[in-house]
Amino acid sequence: MQTELSKKLGVEHAIFGFTPFPAVAAAISRAGGFGVLGAVRYTAPDDLKRDLDWVEAHVDGRPYGLDVVMPAKKVEGVTEADVEAMIPEGHRQFVKDTLAKYSVPELAEGEAAGWRITGWMEQVARTQLDVAFDYPIKLLANALGSPPADVVERAHDRGVLVAALAGSARHARKHKEAGIDIVVAQGYEAGGHTGEIASMVLTPEVVEAVDPLPVLAAGGIGSGQQVAAALSLGAQGVWLGSIWLTTTEADMHSPAVTRKLLAAGSGDTVRSRALTGKPARQLRTEWTDAWDDPNGPGTLPMPLQGLLVAEAVSRIQKYEVAPLLGTPVGQIVGRMNSERSVQAVFDDLTRGFERAVDRINRIAGRSGQ
């Protein structure tokens, strides 16, 4: 399952795995793919350093990368406190009322919210980069468009390739103009922030729009047959995120969330602004329904929504309040019906890929050649 891009990065399989869990990222690289650690949750540089130390010690010398979230345009002098002050009191009350409706307990006195969205703020992402560039990362990906020009230059000076996610051919062209090396075409089916175009349509459009830049296909991919389909559409690899959430290496911190993922079908997700303020695909819950209800106050723009719901999400997760409990995940969740190791997922992907290629060869009359 090699392509020009996978050979360039020195990986056996053109499978790029995004994950917030260091153990999963390392296991992906050890299995012959390319592990990419999501940095958005690391608000303290020392925490990111600790986990990159761990990844470096457990990838067996294999390549890996980092995913950050930062806007292309810089906003000077805005602090988290400034952003917090912009949140309307009516929205704060809506959160309180919704939590009270489901009898969600308070956090212990002095306990901080474990889930924060401050990693979306540029100054936080830049501290993450200050740490990451001390490590031999081979790829820097940005989930919020092209990173600022100085970040692209800084990465290139260190021999680090830069990738950016795109939900349309128009966005992909902007990435190419910004000097991005790899475009991730993320379809409507994907978990987290997505656009409106499905992967089957989006991938070839982006491939054509940015040629000769390599494209990775993302969204709704969780089988070897789908990997083969993505490569046949012109992609040089696939970018998988959701499929790793139910691996044995994933540290979900919540058995209830894992049970929900294993039980969910492909129709049990929704694109909602409830988590961050931008449309993000996640499990549909009574929490997402409350925010999407036209009789409610509606969500706030990013990053206000993320800051508004940070403590609420922490409380819901800590006490595993089932009706409200969810997580970002793509429509591929319908295939995620058992806990498996990362290696087992890779074994399934490679076997499925081989079957798909064999089938196409038979159809094309090339069997045995």
Side-chain angles (χ1 to χ4, degrees), residues 283-340:
L283 286 177
R284 181 175 182 176
T285 66
E286 293 185 32
W287 177 255
T288 62
D289 286 349
W291 283 104
D292 295 338
D293 188 336
N295 294 320
T299 55
L300 298 171
M302 181 187 286
L304 299 182
Q305 182 71 14
L307 291 171
L308 170 65
V309 304
E311 181 183 327
V313 171
S314 290
R315 289 165 60 184
I316 292 166
Q317 291 176 345
K318 177 178 179 178
Y319 299 108
E320 297 192 322
V321 182
L324 306 179
L325 191 62
T327 187
V329 69
Q331 291 180 331
I332 198 63
V333 70
R335 292 184 62 93
M336 297 158 50
N337 46 28
S338 66
E339 291 188 74
R340 301 178 292 166

Side-chain angles (χ1 to χ4, degrees), residues 146 169-180 210:
S146 303
R170 178 174 61 86
H171 292 153
R173 292 188 192 97
K174 288 184 177 180
H175 294 338
K176 184 178 181 181
E177 293 167 1
I180 299 304
V210 302

Side-chain angles (χ1 to χ4, degrees), residues 135-157:
Y135 292 81
I137 62 171
K138 300 299 183 184
L139 176 70
L140 174 67
N142 188 38
L144 201 62
S146 303
D150 68 295
V151 171
V152 176
E153 182 179 1
R154 190 177 174 190
H156 287 167
D157 287 345

